[in-house]
Amino acid sequence: MTSELSPVDRAKFASAARAAEFVEDGMRVGLGTGSTAAWLVRCLGDKVRDNGLKFRGVPTSTRTAKLAREVGIEVITLDEAGWLDVTIDGADEFDGDLNLIKGGGGALLQEKIVATASDKMVVITDPAKSVETLGKFPLPVEVIPFGMRTTKTLIEEALGSMDVSGRDVTLRMDGDAPFVTDEGNHILDLHLGRIGNARQMALTLNQLPGVVENGLFIDICDVVVIGHSDGQVELRDVTSGGAQRQRPDAPKTDNLFRDLDG
């Protein structure tokens, strides 16, 4: 029951349960990566099992693919899907224009490819991820291993002319070794504090040799579903700019779904 969950888990469940309502029979659905996305996959698995919901999911990581199969969701590749009806994913930050920073879980490349191949992107999150200006969360940049030190230097030089509060660049680690993405790349985390011009930042980074993709999602998200610890959800739509408050049904289980970290 929701009363047995922590406030953070109640908020995650609330946003995931509401976002699951965007999925209808016959859809091709992008499935995000992270702890909140794991709640979504479990909610959709319940709908498949209990309500006979039939859809095909395109996971954005091997972790999400594994979980989706475990709960009975049919998994296909993006190439098999061709195009998606909706992608539902989490975010590390979002601003008033629904621009995002993503990649805290290390799946930003697949997440951005899947999101941009969708008619709609829905983000599930909590109030703590809302910011006036992007940049408090370190910006992930996926880079190829070859010449990584050179790529890091190029990024640091580019930041010198950018409107940011900080310019520290660190290699993401997994224990004693560099973190490796599903594509065999590494991630540099940019500790910027504030990004004055996110669009310029995204374009500049992707022009640098060695950079594969960055974690700025500009003009991609359509709806943000914000879960609250009291079980209510707030919907923000990029088109209307308005917000709605709702309360989804309580979960049937107290499973915290902590198998995926976001």
Side-chain angles (χ1 to χ4, degrees):
M1 299 299 292
T2 51
S3 60
E4 299 171 328
L5 304 181
S6 70
V8 171
D9 285 314
R10 285 199 298 270
K12 289 180 178 181
F13 165 76
S15 61
R18 176 60 183 86
E21 297 177 13
F22 285 93
V23 179
E24 301 175 357
D25 276 334
M27 280 188 168
R28 293 158 296 180
V29 180
L31 303 173
T33 296
S35 57
T36 310
W39 277 96
L40 169 75
V41 173
R42 293 287 190 179
C43 289
L44 289 173
D46 286 345
K47 287 179 174 288
V48 169
R49 182 187 66 246
D50 300 336
N51 303 331
L53 178 65
K54 295 181 179 180
F55 73 97
R56 292 178 292 173
V58 175
T60 56
S61 68
T62 55
R63 289 170 288 164
T64 298
K66 180 177 183 292
L67 180 59
R69 292 188 179 100
E70 288 176 354
V71 300
I73 295 173
E74 180 184 355
V75 172
I76 60 174
T77 67
L78 182 57
D79 286 336
E80 290 172 330
W83 195 259
L84 304 178
D85 298 287
V86 63
T87 287
I88 306 175
D89 202 349
D92 299 302
E93 281 187 350
F94 68 96
D95 65 15
D97 295 321
L98 306 194
N99 293 317
L100 320 169
I101 285 182
K102 288 179 51 56
L108 66 98
L109 178 57
Q110 289 191 21
E111 289 173 337
K112 186 174 284 190
I113 293 172
V114 169
T116 54
S118 307
D119 288 336
K120 175 181 289 189
M121 182 189 188
V122 177
V123 164
I124 45 179
T125 186
D126 60 77
K129 306 295 176 59
S130 177
V131 296
E132 289 188 11
T133 304
L134 297 176
K136 181 178 180 181
F137 189 91
L139 173 63
V141 178
E142 186 160 341
V143 300
I144 65 172
F146 177 80
M148 183 177 59
R149 291 185 178 179
T150 299
T151 303
K152 180 174 180 290
T153 299
L154 291 172
I155 292 174
E156 291 169 339
E157 290 178 350
L159 292 178
S161 61
M162 304 293 286
D163 181 13
V164 294
S165 296
R167 294 179 173 85
D168 290 338
V169 180
T170 59
L171 174 63
R172 186 177 299 185
M173 302 297 290
D174 183 9
D176 295 330
F179 176 86
V180 179
T181 70
D182 279 354
E183 291 75 33
N185 298 317
H186 297 317
I187 289 181
L188 297 174
D189 288 311
L190 280 53
H191 303 265
L192 307 175
R194 178 189 57 83
I195 302 174
N197 189 330
R199 191 181 305 277
Q200 179 190 29
M201 174 72 69
L203 292 172
T204 299
L205 289 172
N206 280 8
Q207 291 175 347
L208 300 176
V211 171
V212 180
E213 189 53 84
N214 69 85
L216 286 166
F217 284 52
I218 309 298
D219 298 333
I220 296 176
C221 176
D222 299 287
V223 178
V224 169
V225 182
I226 306 167
H228 295 265
S229 59
D230 62 359
Q232 293 191 64
V233 294
E234 178 184 352
L235 271 67
R236 297 186 188 176
D237 189 297
V238 70
T239 303
S240 66
Q244 297 177 315
R245 281 257 184 168
Q246 303 172 354
R247 184 186 296 273
D249 294 333
K252 298 179 180 180
T253 175
D254 61 356
N255 189 336
L256 300 185
F257 314 146
R258 293 194 178 106
D259 48 344
L260 295 184
D261 294 327

